[in-house]
Amino acid sequence: QQEEWQGWNRVALPLPEAAPQRHDVVEQGKTFHLFWMDSHVHSGLTADAEGEPDEIMLYGRDRGRLDAMVMQENDFYNCPLTESEYQVGAFYARAFSRDGRFVALPGYEWTQQVPADAGMDKDQSRFWRGSYPNHRTIIYPRAGGPLVRYIDVRGDIAKLYDAVARAGGVLHTQHPTFDFVDHPVETSIEVTAGWGVYFLNPGHIHSTLNRGHRAGFVGTRDSHRRNPGLGGGLTGIYATALTPEAILEAYRAHRVFATSGSRIVMEARANGVLMGQETVSSPRVRLTLQVKGSRPIRRATLLRDGVDLKVFSREGDAAAAEFGFEDQEATPGVHWYYWRVEQDG
């Protein structure tokens, strides 16, 4: 017996056949295809999660209709992730991947807790109440890479960066709190997840970007339940092909965007340059957005340096829209922009 869950409805699986939203963009003579990815997927190999690894893989591919996913267990959460358990996830990632159809990549979750007070005794119970997570999703190429547990390197994240770089991988932050570091492998910030939409309270995200860090936005599930692709955020990725190499290249180029679970198409540009890149502009910046929702579009907000610059509101049943704005007040220097789109419901 349990209380009724508010805001949830039972559904029968498999879902009715419906192809995910697709979209192609052309940039500098290259065509990039939109793929849907969940990079923060757990199985029962994580202490408080559920599901056999092969079960989770098949669900994400066949029920959640993901194009790509990363099964990544906590390196230490109540108990350590053993080397053999880590290799089980890597094995199934290789076993189920088919280039052009479905890509699963090996990885794991760096689960470091950082004390808010540098002098705090880490053996005291108050450490957990006075610390914050500095977690990362590590994504390796198909060949895999080393398991570098934060407890084994005494929380030295520089050693993690070095190991991921040597293996040709990338990583992104997790949760609303994190310490972002400029490093080639540090590509993205998780802004939506099964736990919530973090950029509805975006102070930490905005301050990170205002300090000059470059990052894309990604969405993930992280629900620890048997529902990859259907339990939280998703990442839209623009890649040249559905292969491990192309997926990792898209992360490095920041050709990614986050949703809170809907497969909503976004194509944003600044002076014609595709999102995720940098451009030089003088004296005005022309911002454009093409969007195709899974429901009618209600609002699109353009932000500059973390402040609302322009809000567009819409009525009616149209699920596709185009927006444009010319920023004539940007001062000399470096600025960053993003769009926040809301659809009906």
Side-chain angles (χ1 to χ4, degrees):
Q1 295 290 329
Q2 67 179 34
E3 296 180 1
E4 287 293 322
W5 288 8
Q6 300 299 316
W8 296 79
N9 297 307
R10 292 184 180 275
V11 297
L13 294 176
L15 296 174
E17 290 298 326
Q21 299 249 42
R22 298 299 183 188
H23 186 66
D24 290 346
V25 300
V26 178
E27 177 77 1
Q28 296 181 346
K30 290 186 177 180
T31 299
F32 300 100
H33 312 286
L34 176 60
F35 300 110
W36 297 102
M37 183 169 182
D38 185 351
S39 59
H40 194 163
V41 176
H42 291 275
S43 77
L45 295 175
T46 290
D48 67 342
E50 60 184 21
E52 296 298 326
D54 56 340
E55 170 194 10
I56 298 299
M57 286 276 184
L58 289 170
Y59 190 105
R61 186 191 70 182
D62 299 339
R63 300 291 187 259
R65 292 192 177 89
L66 292 168
D67 298 309
M69 62 184 285
V70 181
M71 186 120 67
Q72 43 100 58
E73 319 296 350
N74 296 85
D75 64 350
F76 189 95
Y77 185 74
N78 296 327
C79 58
L81 178 67
T82 68
E83 183 68 27
S84 61
E85 290 170 334
Y86 169 58
Q87 293 299 337
V88 166
F91 166 80
Y92 280 116
R94 290 188 291 269
F96 284 105
S97 287
R98 299 290 185 274
D99 287 355
R101 294 174 55 194
F102 178 71
V103 170
L105 292 172
Y108 65 95
E109 178 173 347
W110 165 276
T111 324
Q112 178 187 26
Q113 290 287 130
V114 178
D117 179 1
M120 184 180 296
D121 183 353
K122 295 183 180 180
D123 292 328
Q124 294 182 12
S125 61
R126 68 186 180 92
F127 171 74
W128 288 99
R129 298 192 300 271
S131 63
Y132 60 91
N134 188 37
H135 295 199
R136 293 296 188 278
T137 285
I138 289 85
I139 308 175
Y140 282 135
R142 181 171 289 155
L147 172 60
V148 182
R149 304 177 193 84
Y150 84 94
I151 53 173
D152 296 334
V153 296
R154 297 181 179 270
D156 186 353
I157 201 169
K159 293 182 179 179
L160 172 68
Y161 292 141
D162 291 344
V164 174
R166 287 195 301 271
V170 299
L171 50 80
H172 65 70
T173 71
Q174 296 180 0
H175 313 306
T177 58
F178 50 84
D179 294 334
F180 200 93
V181 175
D182 276 329
H183 192 283
V185 300
E186 185 95 275
T187 63
S188 314
I189 296 173
E190 181 187 75
V191 299
T192 65
W195 303 104
V197 181
Y198 303 146
F199 61 14
L200 293 182
N201 185 20
H204 185 61
I205 298 169
H206 289 172
S207 65
T208 298
L209 297 177
N210 279 328
R211 289 196 299 272
H213 298 302
R214 304 289 192 270
F217 287 167
V218 297
T220 74
R221 181 184 67 108
D222 189 25
S223 75
H224 293 222
R225 302 283 79 85
R226 293 177 169 94
N227 58 349
L230 297 174
L234 287 174
T235 299
I237 294 184
Y238 284 113
T240 55
L242 187 55
T243 64
E245 298 78 13
I247 292 293
L248 292 172
E249 187 276 332
Y251 267 97
R252 296 186 185 99
H254 303 148
R255 289 194 308 276
V256 296
F257 65 92
T259 86
S260 56
S262 298
R263 285 168 166 82
I264 179 172
V265 173
M266 305 270 286
E267 180 184 340
R269 294 179 180 269
N271 291 343
V273 174
L274 186 63
M275 59 198 205
Q277 302 180 60
E278 298 182 14
T279 184
V280 177
S281 181
S282 178
R284 301 172 180 176
V285 186
R286 178 67 180 171
L287 290 309
T288 60
L289 173 70
Q290 294 184 44
V291 57
K292 183 168 69 172
S294 56
R295 299 177 179 178
I297 301 299
R298 289 289 174 252
R299 186 177 296 106
T301 304
L302 174 65
L303 293 90
R304 179 187 65 203
D305 303 335
V307 178
D308 289 3
L309 186 61
K310 178 68 175 179
V311 179
F312 299 86
S313 297
R314 292 173 59 86
E315 297 180 355
D317 298 328
E322 295 187 6
F323 303 96
F325 181 78
E326 187 173 81
D327 185 5
Q328 303 181 29
E329 300 179 358
T331 58
V334 177
H335 300 280
W336 53 271
Y337 300 84
Y338 75 84
W339 293 86
R340 185 178 63 244
V341 175
E342 301 163 63
Q343 59 182 14
D344 193 50

